[in-house]
Amino acid sequence: MKRIALNGVGLLVALFAAFPVYWMIATSLKPNQEIFSATPRPVPVEPTLEHYREILTGNLIPGVTFVDFFLNSALVAVATVLLSGLVALLAATAVARFRFRLRTTFLILLLVVQMIPLEALVIPLFLMIQRLGLYNTLPSLILTYLGFSLPFAVWMLRGFVAAVPKELEEAAAIDGASRAQTFRRILFPLVAPGLVATSIFSFITAWNELIFALTFVNDQDRYTLPVAMTFFFGRDDTAWGSVMAASTLFTLPVIVFFLLVQRRMVSGLVAGAVKG
């Protein structure tokens, strides 16, 4: 009876969490007369793809389409994931495997950085981006998101690297493997679950961020998707059908990315390696 009650509660929580997503998708498939009906229905009576057709074929601004904004966001997010994964893995390996001065201070600073509100960093980062000559470029967003995702990534990967027994690396060294081969063939596969977890965090950070994307980029053809979403909201009215269709397309890459990497999120790889 207790198990049935727990399963029932879990089902209710899952339905509560999934309902906004369902409503977003259902609204994107409704024609305007159903969306603004006095008695809205949870299921589209006459489903249509007109809203998707409008945002994919039309221009949100002169000469720029929804696909252009999508590609800008994809470029920024993928670059952030790759760079943060590489830098964080090297930094986490150094922190976990080597002893050096101010090592503990460095780890504490990683946590302190996470406590600073992003809004407080807009002006100093804007001035820094200007001095570097990166204003109004996508690399400015990549570097900014890289700075935000690295503290979390380094801190998490440090635990994964420290959990890998040193005996595995020593055995590889005895067998004649170099440091680079040991890192590539021993350490990297065992730390892959942590690398996947941090890549998801980095991807979501770069994909969803709005404030810096709106501040550091001036040309509209270089805007990312979060900025493009604001174009659907007018002063007098809002195109809710287009908003929901765009939001659905905006959400899909995160879901697809998670589905692609979820198989690697297995924390038992280290234990299996030790037992083998």
Side-chain angles (χ1 to χ4, degrees), residues 165-186:
K166 293 183 178 180
E167 288 77 6
L168 292 176
E169 300 179 27
E170 294 173 354
I174 293 175
D175 291 337
S178 63
R179 286 186 176 272
Q181 290 175 330
T182 301
F183 180 84
R184 186 177 68 255
R185 298 181 180 179
I186 303 297

Side-chain angles (χ1 to χ4, degrees), residues 111-127:
L111 296 179
V112 172
V113 170
Q114 295 292 94
M115 301 178 186
I116 302 176
L118 298 183
E119 293 77 6
L121 300 176
V122 174
I123 295 178
L125 285 177
F126 177 79
L127 297 176

Side-chain angles (χ1 to χ4, degrees), residues 1 51 69 79 86 102 106 111 122 133 177 182 214 235 237 246:
M1 191 67 183
H51 300 301
F69 296 124
L86 175 62
L102 303 179
F106 173 76
L111 296 179
V122 174
T182 301
L214 188 60
R235 178 177 298 179
D237 61 349

Side-chain angles (χ1 to χ4, degrees), residues 54-70 72 219-224 228 231:
E54 289 178 356
I55 64 175
L56 291 176
T57 59
N59 292 340
L60 295 181
I61 57 176
V64 186
T65 64
F66 183 86
V67 176
D68 295 324
F69 296 124
F70 186 94
N72 290 339
D219 291 344
Q220 293 181 333
D221 60 340
R222 297 177 183 175
Y223 281 159
T224 55
F231 295 155

Side-chain angles (χ1 to χ4, degrees), residues 43-215:
V43 179
V45 178
E46 298 179 0
T48 178
L49 296 176
E50 183 62 28
H51 300 301
Y52 291 95
R53 191 178 300 110
E54 289 178 356
I55 64 175
L56 291 176
T57 59
N59 292 340
L60 295 181
I61 57 176
V64 186
T65 64
F66 183 86
V67 176
D68 295 324
F69 296 124
F70 186 94
L71 294 177
N72 290 339
S73 286
L75 175 62
V76 171
V78 171
T80 301
V81 168
L82 295 178
L83 290 175
S84 65
L86 175 62
V87 177
L89 181 57
L90 296 176
T93 303
V95 172
R97 284 290 186 259
F98 303 105
R99 296 294 182 267
F100 51 88
R101 294 182 59 185
L102 303 179
R103 174 174 171 273
T104 304
T105 304
F106 173 76
L107 294 175
I108 294 175
L109 287 177
L110 291 179
L111 296 179
V112 172
V113 170
Q114 295 292 94
M115 301 178 186
I116 302 176
L118 298 183
E119 293 77 6
L121 300 176
V122 174
I123 295 178
L125 285 177
F126 177 79
L127 297 176
M128 183 181 301
I129 291 297
Q130 275 192 324
R131 292 177 181 176
L132 292 175
L134 296 176
Y135 176 70
N136 198 29
T137 63
L138 293 181
S140 67
L141 300 180
I142 296 173
L143 290 178
T144 302
Y145 301 153
L146 178 63
F148 290 144
S149 59
L150 272 180
F152 173 82
V154 173
W155 183 267
M156 173 170 277
L157 285 176
R158 170 188 169 273
F160 279 86
V161 174
V164 177
K166 293 183 178 180
E167 288 77 6
L168 292 176
E169 300 179 27
E170 294 173 354
I174 293 175
D175 291 337
S178 63
R179 286 186 176 272
Q181 290 175 330
T182 301
F183 180 84
R184 186 177 68 255
R185 298 181 180 179
I186 303 297
L187 187 62
F188 180 77
L190 298 179
V191 181
L195 198 59
V196 168
T198 57
S199 67
I200 293 175
F201 173 80
S202 301
F203 185 87
I204 294 177
T205 298
W207 189 259
N208 292 339
E209 202 283 322
L210 171 64
I211 297 178
F212 294 99
L214 188 60
T215 304

